[in-house]
Amino acid sequence: MQFILRGVAVIVEKDGVRYMHSRTRRIVKGFVYEGEDVWRLEGKKRIYVRSQRKGKLIAIEGHEEEFESYVSQKKLPPDEICQLVPTDPKYHPLKNKIKGKAPAAPGGAAAAVAHAVQDFRTPHLVQYPLWAVLMVIFMASVSGVLMAVQIAHYWAANRPKLEKIFGPEFPRRNISHDTIRRILMNLDASEEGKYLRHLFRTLLNLCFGMWRSRLLALDGQACRSSKNEKGCPHYTLSIVDCDLRITCDQVQVGEKTNEIPQGIEVLEWLDLNGSTVCGDAMHCQRNLVDAIIMKGGNYCLSLKSGAYGKIYESAQILADVVINDDLSEKPQHRIPFLKEETYDDGHGRVEKRAYYALPGSHLEGAEHWTGLHTGTLFVVDTEKTYKATKATGRQARTETNRRFFISSFPFFDNPYVIKQGIRAIRQRWGIESTHWEIDVQMRQDLVQMSNVMYIRAQRMLSRIGLGVISHMQMNFEKIYGTNRTCPSVESMMIYARDPEHLIKVFEELKDAGDLDDLLKAES
């Protein structure tokens, strides 16, 4: 970078204070910019006030080679061979949104979203089109490349293929990791990452469609290598579709709060009609239950001691009475219930589970929980028998426990209530599998970060990548069925390292929604 002061300075006096305005020209990364520096004069002292960029210098037609020769030698070109392109004073990055449908481009729905993202940068300073940077970021995330330095290396290693895919509009130079990091952080800069969440939801909804009759699970996830000032890991609360293994939304958990108040926020933009929301005992909160029912969904939440009122103690008493059949001598007082048993043998243990469905109206305080008065209490008795092993010398042992779940599934006139409960209780653990794949196979636990905005962006990329990989696995199962073993997440990440293979996957994700409708719904 070279700095030269040219021309005669103009001295202006205002309110008894003298200011000197001087023209400046700078060469920054192969571009020539013209501006103005303002200094305040106090006797013989000159105090810097501000700088203002006027625009960018470009070559006059017919003098392109001479202009490039000056710039390559880090010399300022003379006025005879260049002209000034002024900066638009009316430009405002947050108001320049691209409206309407995005132009057709390789990449299907992902390319449509990348073209529709508002560019927050000053137009005459842009060297890399935002849609191109976002497309490379999306493609890199599928192959497990999540950090800015890694994405820059991915760009450099695959630039010939990327130029072939995206055509002449793709930049013919490598990008720096600072540029990628700055773009990701600026996407998250508005209102605690709300625009980043909007981008995340729009991309996933457009690629995979608006889901219905789904099973959603709430749970927090810690980024173990990223610590805050107090040395505690940063937490993210996610809601995951346990059937598709796709993260529907996520929100950062602040240092002075926890997952409980964030539960309502993460459900804010989701359509819960026909959906079931599951959660552990931390999310067994009345305000969260009210929000789920208000949005047209059902809930199935784990119940433990310490819950509101005496509902846990009431569930224990009700389970003892019904399961032990203490009212058998008085049939007119017998409480109706449903029962189903399952048997699993694997991983060195035998698990027997007995599921009981009881009417929630018999619980003390059920009227204070929306949907529970007509809902269902599920009781799960588990007996685990661990087998003896000679290699480790472990002795055979048996463990038993009892768990309770409250739900809004109607108990009466619902022949499938026990099936609904078993599905919700068992498959809600799919969120733990999703978090393990992100932590271990996509190596999020190895990422060391401290900036909260960058952390949110990196976690968004990991979930986008895992969502595309889940789509690839589902397509594999549709083609080959159960005749061939479905490739693991790591195998799909290796396959996705080739941009020419991956762009074909992105092309398939283009008919699941309408971009204009999604942008209107999110605004």
Side-chain angles (χ1 to χ4, degrees):
M1 182 176 69
Q2 188 173 353
F3 176 89
I4 293 181
L5 188 66
R6 284 189 169 189
V8 179
V10 178
I11 298 177
V12 180
E13 186 171 349
K14 184 178 180 181
D15 298 332
V17 181
R18 293 192 306 158
Y19 295 93
M20 182 177 69
H21 298 255
S22 59
R23 187 177 66 162
T24 61
R25 287 185 178 178
R26 295 179 174 89
I27 299 178
V28 181
K29 294 184 178 180
F31 295 94
V32 184
Y33 301 100
E34 181 170 310
E36 183 183 66
D37 284 353
V38 180
W39 305 80
R40 188 173 70 251
L41 302 178
E42 296 181 0
K44 295 183 178 180
K45 293 183 179 180
R46 188 177 64 173
I47 302 173
Y48 174 79
V49 178
R50 68 177 184 275
S51 295
Q52 182 179 2
R53 186 164 286 176
K54 299 295 185 180
K56 182 168 65 174
L57 294 176
I58 62 173
I60 297 175
E61 187 176 357
H63 297 274
E64 289 83 0
E65 293 184 1
E66 187 179 359
F67 182 87
E68 291 294 335
S69 175
Y70 274 96
V71 175
S72 62
Q73 299 176 29
K74 296 186 177 180
K75 295 181 179 179
L76 292 173
D79 295 339
E80 294 77 18
I81 66 171
C82 62
Q83 60 183 348
L84 178 66
V85 179
T87 302
D88 184 5
K90 297 181 180 179
Y91 175 78
H92 193 289
L94 296 180
K95 295 181 180 178
N96 286 7
K97 292 186 179 181
I98 300 177
K99 298 182 179 180
K101 293 187 176 180
V113 175
H115 278 84
V117 174
Q118 62 188 32
D119 197 343
F120 46 82
R121 300 171 294 175
T122 307
H124 72 275
L125 300 180
V126 172
Q127 301 179 39
Y128 302 94
L130 184 60
W131 68 266
V133 178
L134 291 179
M135 278 303 300
V136 174
I137 290 174
F138 292 156
M139 297 173 71
S141 66
V142 182
S143 57
V145 177
L146 305 175
M147 299 298 296
V149 175
Q150 297 173 334
I151 295 173
H153 291 167
Y154 178 91
W155 179 302
N158 296 287
R159 187 159 62 87
K161 293 183 178 180
L162 294 173
E163 293 176 357
K164 181 180 178 181
I165 293 171
F166 296 108
E169 295 184 1
F170 193 83
R172 264 42 180 184
R173 56 189 297 180
N174 294 334
I175 194 172
S176 69
H177 67 276
D178 290 326
T179 302
I180 296 174
R181 178 184 175 90
R182 188 163 54 250
I183 288 176
L184 290 175
M185 291 176 63
N186 276 287
L187 285 175
D188 186 74
S190 61
E191 297 184 20
E192 297 296 329
K194 288 186 178 180
Y195 184 76
L196 184 69
R197 290 177 59 198
H198 152 69
L199 171 64
F200 175 73
R201 290 190 301 267
T202 302
L203 179 62
L204 290 187
N205 284 338
L206 189 62
C207 290
F208 304 106
M210 295 294 200
W211 306 295
R212 291 292 185 273
S213 299
R214 59 194 180 206
L215 179 64
L216 306 176
L218 275 170
D219 196 17
Q221 183 184 19
C223 192
R224 300 180 185 277
S225 298
S226 301
K227 309 287 185 180
N228 55 24
E229 296 179 354
K230 298 180 180 179
C232 301
H234 291 276
Y235 275 86
T236 300
L237 179 62
S238 305
I239 183 164
V240 175
D241 189 319
C242 297
D243 294 327
L244 300 178
R245 294 191 299 116
I246 294 175
T247 303
C248 302
D249 201 359
Q250 61 178 0
V251 63
Q252 183 80 15
V253 179
E255 296 182 10
K256 298 182 179 180
T257 183
N258 53 35
E259 298 178 25
I260 296 175
Q262 304 290 346
I264 298 177
E265 182 179 353
V266 81
L267 297 174
E268 179 181 2
W269 291 95
L270 294 179
D271 183 4
L272 299 182
N273 284 323
S275 302
T276 301
V277 179
C278 304
D280 53 21
M282 179 179 289
H283 299 289
C284 190
Q285 307 290 328
R286 280 188 281 190
N287 54 355
L288 180 64
V289 165
D290 295 340
I292 295 172
I293 297 298
M294 187 178 299
K295 294 178 72 67
N298 290 311
Y299 62 86
C300 184
L301 304 174
S302 178
L303 185 65
K304 290 187 178 180
S305 58
Y308 289 109
K310 299 181 179 180
I311 189 169
Y312 180 78
E313 291 77 6
S314 176
Q316 286 182 313
I317 297 172
L318 182 63
D320 291 337
V321 170
V322 173
I323 295 174
N324 297 333
D325 202 15
D326 290 343
L327 298 178
S328 57
E329 298 179 357
K330 300 179 180 179
Q332 66 275 18
H333 295 157
R334 185 174 298 173
I335 300 175
F337 70 94
L338 301 174
K339 179 181 178 181
E340 187 164 325
E341 296 182 350
T342 61
Y343 177 89
D344 294 323
D345 187 357
H347 305 286
R349 63 181 182 270
V350 176
E351 296 188 30
K352 298 179 181 179
R353 298 184 183 88
Y355 297 88
Y356 300 89
L358 293 79
S361 57
H362 290 271
L363 291 173
E364 182 180 352
E367 64 277 4
H368 301 301
W369 294 76
T370 306
L372 183 58
H373 187 69
T374 58
T376 306
L377 169 70
F378 293 102
V379 183
V380 184
D381 286 340
T382 305
E383 180 182 307
K384 296 181 182 180
T385 303
Y386 292 88
K387 302 177 183 179
T389 56
K390 294 182 180 180
T392 60
R394 187 178 65 183
Q395 302 294 324
R397 69 181 191 279
T398 301
E399 297 178 356
T400 60
N401 67 349
R402 172 173 288 180
R403 294 172 292 156
F404 301 95
F405 299 85
I406 57 173
S407 76
S408 59
F409 298 136
F411 180 81
F412 298 100
D413 300 327
N414 184 8
Y416 305 104
V417 62
I418 190 71
K419 298 291 185 182
Q420 291 175 324
I422 293 175
R423 176 175 177 267
I425 293 170
R426 295 291 294 153
Q427 293 194 22
R428 72 185 181 93
W429 292 106
I431 190 172
E432 300 295 346
S433 301
T434 302
H435 287 172
W436 181 86
E437 290 169 344
I438 293 174
D439 287 338
V440 179
Q441 295 190 312
M442 303 196 78
R443 302 175 182 87
Q444 180 175 269
D445 273 351
L446 301 179
V447 177
Q448 296 183 354
M449 299 170 290
S450 58
N451 188 283
V452 176
M453 294 188 297
Y454 189 45
I455 291 173
R456 283 196 288 253
Q458 190 268 346
R459 291 183 175 180
M460 179 201 72
L461 294 180
S462 64
R463 284 155 175 80
I464 289 175
L466 186 60
V468 177
I469 289 174
S470 300
H471 172 81
M472 295 165 63
Q473 291 177 324
M474 286 186 289
N475 280 353
F476 185 92
E477 293 176 350
K478 290 179 182 178
I479 296 173
Y480 297 103
T482 58
N483 297 327
R484 293 177 61 180
T485 303
C486 183
S488 64
V489 172
E490 192 167 0
S491 299
M492 286 297 187
M493 289 166 53
I494 295 174
Y495 174 81
R497 290 176 184 172
D498 188 348
E500 294 180 340
H501 292 165
L502 183 59
I503 199 66
K504 297 178 182 178
V505 178
F506 276 87
E507 287 288 345
E508 298 173 358
L509 308 176
K510 59 183 179 180
D511 295 324
D514 185 84
L515 179 59
D516 290 341
D517 294 341
L518 288 172
L519 292 177
K520 183 178 180 180
E522 289 281 348
S523 61

